[in-house]
Amino acid sequence: MAESILLFSIISIWIAVLEAIIIMAGAVRFVYRQQRTSFHIPEDMAHFPTVTVMVPAHNEDVVITSTVEHILDLNYPPEKVQVIVIADNCSDDTALKMYQLQARPAYRDRDFYIMDRTGTGGKSGALNDALKMAKGEWCCIYDADAAPEKNALLFLTQKAMEKPEEYGAVFGRNKARNRGQNFLSRCINLELVTVQRVHHTGLWELFKLGTIPGTNFIVRTELMRDIGGWDEDAITEDTAISFDILTRGQLIALAPQAEAYQQEPEKLSVYMKQRERWSKGNYQVILDNAKHLFDGTSWRIKLHILYYAASYFWFMIAIIISDILFLTNIVYQTIALFNPGVVSPFQFAGDVYVYLIIAWALMYYIYVLQINLALAADIGQSNTRNFIISCVSYFTYAQLFLIISIKAFYSLCVDKVAGRKTKWYKTQRFD
Amino acid sequence: MLLVVSYTRWFIPLSIVVSSLFVLAIIGLTIATLIFRAKVNKTYDRGKSSG
């Protein structure tokens, strides 16, 4: 039995390492290619499409004014932009702050609508109500804490115009604007940078596979209406919509220059709640879409499901088992220093256990390497402090993923058994 | 015991091959990362900015 567990762990970690190597190879090819590509800001944007920018906001008076200012000041023809801010069931001054902003002389002539909403459905419900009013050819979504860079929308639509018949959605990159606050926000920053500059780029470069990140993306309005809007029962509406777009044969393209800053949790409790929701939502999406593994849909969808399923189920179980093997053996070896008669329950033939340690060491090395490739690609982030955090975060921050995943899976199972409806949790903002 | 011996007979050579291939791939990726980092540093004079 112990031998079978060991073999399962080793082979699973090999596959995880292989996946990491393939994605990183794609990311390396992408960054080298991007280095040789020059981007230009067009002088004449008459041929650019019209866009409806939607900002769902639930009690966001701390951050909303700054966010909408950034959106109204984007480098995009004002007559081609419709802005809809959805003050969704707000008990604070979100709507009031928006009316004050709208009254400013600079924005008086803009197509800027404030929807004071009391409906249901959370973020998805708010976006669906805004979708009914959308006049633009594309819908652009920014969360209420976003600060898009001046040309973010331009780069998103520019990418969409490259292959308008193929690209159903285009997503940009999000950066943590409060990354220097504490150890947690520094770790989240490393994760964000790595996901966006290694995982997203690698998957896009090799497989033309993308996932909508929830903010800083555009999606064709007609496609969104054809899908039937955002799924109000989905916990992570962004992942759910990504699968809906892919199943319609459309691609979700990456526009790497379209960058926006967002606020990340600064407290562990806020972080855990946010990530538990994400994990639970991703489990739900995997289960909902598992059927596509066996139907006639595109290989991209199957690959996408396998990628999620491997990350959230398979590799997680393998890491938990290998952690148990390591820790048990370390504890027994320590005890054996004082009492040589004590023997670990996990005794293995030959040198097989050594290959588990080698596999684990390779996984750790490529984890650190991926982070440092990502940091090198983000100007100003490749420094000694971030290198040290990248080495330490595996043993601290990354292990939280295990706790979060187990809690989320347990919570999902309880929801299914008890027929309980999942409550949507909004991430707390900080001043 | 026989079962254990039979699986180690093929699994250990397989482990050596797989681990060696991974090590080679990772060395290649490390070199590519270091070259890329050096290029970016040179282009943006990274030493003067901080994260």
Side-chain angles (χ1 to χ4, degrees), chain A residues 303-332:
Chain A
L303 186 67
H304 211 183
I305 296 165
L306 285 175
Y307 175 73
Y308 270 90
S311 306
Y312 281 90
F313 287 103
W314 186 3
F315 298 158
M316 192 194 71
I317 292 168
I319 290 168
I320 291 171
I321 291 173
S322 60
D323 278 0
I324 292 169
L325 291 182
F326 276 134
L327 291 174
T328 312
N329 276 345
I330 287 171
V331 168
Y332 272 89

Side-chain angles (χ1 to χ4, degrees), chain A residues 3 7 10 14 17 21 24-25 28 31-32 35 179 349 352 355 358 362 365 369 373 376-377 379-380 382-383, chain B residues 4 7-8 11-12 14-16 18-19 22-23 25-26 29-30 32-33 35-37 39-40 44 46 49-51:
Chain A
E3 303 283 345
L7 288 194
I10 295 175
W14 282 350
V17 172
I21 288 173
M24 192 168 169
V28 166
V31 292
Y32 272 85
Q35 252 192 345
R179 64 190 183 209
V352 178
Y355 293 101
I358 293 173
L362 288 168
Y365 185 84
L369 190 62
L373 171 68
I379 314 296
S382 187
N383 51 40
Chain B
V4 169
Y7 103 78
T8 52
F11 191 74
I12 290 179
L14 177 70
S15 298
I16 294 169
V18 171
S19 304
F22 283 168
V23 167
I26 286 175
L29 289 172
T30 306
T33 302
I35 293 171
F36 173 72
R37 188 176 182 275
K39 272 186 184 176
V40 176
Y44 296 98
R46 176 81 55 79
S49 62
S50 68

